[in-house]
Amino acid sequence: MRAEVWAWLILLAALRGVYVFISETLAGPGQGLWFFFSSDTVQYGLIHRDLFEDGFHFAGWNISHAPEYLQMASEIFFRSLTSTLAKGHVIEALTQPILLALALRFLLSKLWARAAFLGPLVVALILVLVAHGRGVDFIAFVWSNRHGYTAILSVLALALMVRLLDASRRPVLLALVVGAGMASDMLFLVWFVTPALAATLLLHRSLGGVTTRRVCLTIALGAILGLLAFWAITPSATVGSKLEIQLALAWGALNRMVDVAFGGSIEQTAVSIVALLGFGGALIVAVKGANTGLRVAALYAALMALGTVLAVAATAAPFREAGYTRYLLAPQLAGLVVVTAALVPALGRFGVWALVGTLSLAVLPGLRRLPETVPPATE
């Protein structure tokens, strides 16, 4: 219990550190983090202005084909509470890591109650890296329109799927979350629907026929309803116009991913190694684990990582822009969670508190006040 309290306090302090880092970087020469306020990133705030300030209507939209409607609603809500687009944008963005931490805690509490505190701790670790200028790719979990909500919904859906393995649980909530994920972002098909169905079918002997059918039908029904909602709501002119399957370019895209993963920077190489270790650890748990829910979740994590890499390669996304590395954030997050969870029993109580203590020291620089010459990110 004490470890979890510290984990949440560290998370809040790390959020402050990210805010300071963003503010100081934007105020520096060259504004190296300009993409925090790019057109893709602030489009939801601009939609708020179109609808509620300039009197436009919903007809005639030409928006991203990954609109993330739940996040859109969230940003419109926060924008309505603030005086400027920037303030609403920043406040909404900084709620994402808290939501991710809550989702991870909920998932881990279903798999291994002792490890529930790792939910906020893992997110705090990501934020510490960002606040120190390392692993800025992880900003997808703390800034708008970088598929952060898709990751959150994937974690939440996995927790509900594990919960559904208990025959007394009702499937409605899982179907709703899956539907919301599909309606918001087609990447949810890669990050949750496909690997979840595959993991359930591969472990059907351990789960039993009734449970397997129950889980698969719930996910499939939610996905179909979400897909119908996506096609009904999203402007047809923008759907599917950006990413297409390009098998002829897949091998070259895969090679480029490997080059970036292990040759881009020390931080990127370290993250890639952690992702690989997590992939291997998840496979071991899936094969040898005694707990059925843990085996399902582990196999899902391994299949999701493999499927994401193949999907990115098949669409040749790495050839388009560096920002497409955000498609690999879910495998990286899964690897980080698996590796951190594996360290808990290995390090023992002393190791856990050593990790908590190290992160506590790492967040201290971010608690400083902004210099008077540095305008806050909300400005």
Side-chain angles (χ1 to χ4, degrees):
M1 182 64 182
R2 285 183 297 173
E4 181 168 355
V5 171
W6 269 109
W8 284 107
L9 290 174
I10 292 170
L11 172 60
L12 294 176
L15 268 177
R16 167 67 183 179
V18 170
Y19 182 78
V20 170
F21 170 72
I22 291 171
S23 300
E24 292 182 339
T25 306
L26 289 174
Q31 295 186 338
L33 300 181
W34 59 268
F35 59 85
F36 287 165
F37 290 95
S38 71
S39 58
D40 276 352
T41 308
V42 300
Q43 65 169 310
Y44 303 140
L46 295 175
I47 288 173
H48 176 276
R49 186 172 70 184
D50 287 346
L51 295 176
F52 301 105
E53 296 176 31
D54 294 342
F56 289 112
H57 304 289
F58 287 94
W61 285 11
N62 184 4
I63 59 176
S64 169
H65 68 308
E68 295 193 80
Y69 290 113
L70 288 180
Q71 185 168 356
M72 183 188 298
S74 175
E75 176 137 351
I76 287 176
F77 170 74
F78 282 107
R79 172 65 186 86
S80 68
L81 300 179
T82 55
S83 57
T84 66
L85 183 151
K87 288 182 180 179
H89 181 60
V90 171
I91 293 172
E92 186 278 327
L94 294 178
T95 63
Q96 286 190 44
I98 297 175
L99 294 175
L100 178 62
L102 288 170
L104 281 173
R105 190 202 178 283
F106 180 56
L107 171 62
L108 290 169
S109 69
K110 302 302 175 187
L111 299 174
W112 185 18
R114 284 180 53 201
F117 76 96
L118 291 179
L121 200 66
V122 165
V123 178
L125 176 58
I126 294 171
L127 294 176
V128 166
L129 292 174
V130 173
H132 285 270
R134 308 298 183 187
V136 178
D137 281 345
F138 281 124
I139 203 65
F141 295 123
V142 293
W143 215 259
S144 295
N145 202 32
R146 292 291 187 270
H147 302 286
Y149 272 55
T150 307
I152 293 167
L153 287 174
S154 297
V155 173
L156 181 58
L158 178 59
L160 294 172
M161 185 180 82
V162 171
R163 190 167 171 260
L164 193 59
L165 298 179
D166 182 350
S168 65
R169 300 294 185 179
R170 295 183 178 180
V172 177
L173 192 54
L174 174 59
L176 290 175
V177 171
V178 172
M182 284 295 295
S184 290
D185 188 355
M186 288 292 101
L187 186 58
F188 190 79
L189 181 67
V190 177
W191 278 2
F192 179 76
V193 174
T194 302
L197 287 174
T200 304
L201 292 171
L202 288 172
L203 294 176
H204 69 94
R205 290 185 178 179
S206 299
L207 298 175
V210 175
T211 300
T212 299
R213 286 192 296 272
R214 190 163 176 257
V215 172
C216 288
L217 287 174
T218 300
I219 294 174
L221 177 61
I224 291 171
L225 292 176
L227 186 60
L228 291 174
F230 177 86
W231 282 95
I233 299 171
T234 307
S236 59
T238 65
V239 175
S241 61
K242 297 182 180 179
L243 290 180
E244 298 177 356
I245 301 297
Q246 304 178 56
L247 294 180
L249 302 177
W251 184 251
L254 191 60
N255 286 331
R256 179 172 175 181
M257 269 192 285
V258 173
D259 291 340
V260 172
F262 295 99
S265 65
I266 295 176
E267 294 83 12
Q268 188 62 53
T269 299
V271 170
S272 300
I273 291 173
V274 168
L276 282 177
L277 290 174
F279 177 79
L283 283 179
I284 292 173
V285 173
V287 173
K288 296 186 176 182
N291 182 287
T292 303
L294 198 59
R295 290 184 65 201
V296 171
L299 184 56
Y300 156 83
L303 292 173
M304 182 271 295
L306 180 62
T308 301
V309 171
L310 293 177
V312 174
T315 56
F319 284 103
R320 299 194 61 214
E321 61 180 71
Y324 275 68
T325 56
R326 65 183 180 269
Y327 286 155
L328 303 177
L329 285 168
Q332 292 172 346
L333 176 65
L336 186 59
V337 172
V338 171
V339 170
T340 307
L343 289 175
V344 171
L347 296 177
R349 187 171 182 178
F350 173 79
V352 170
W353 281 106
L355 177 60
V356 170
T358 301
L359 286 177
S360 298
L361 293 175
V363 299
L364 290 179
L367 296 179
R368 67 185 183 280
R369 295 185 60 183
L370 284 174
E372 293 184 1
T373 56
V374 175
T378 50
E379 302 300 327

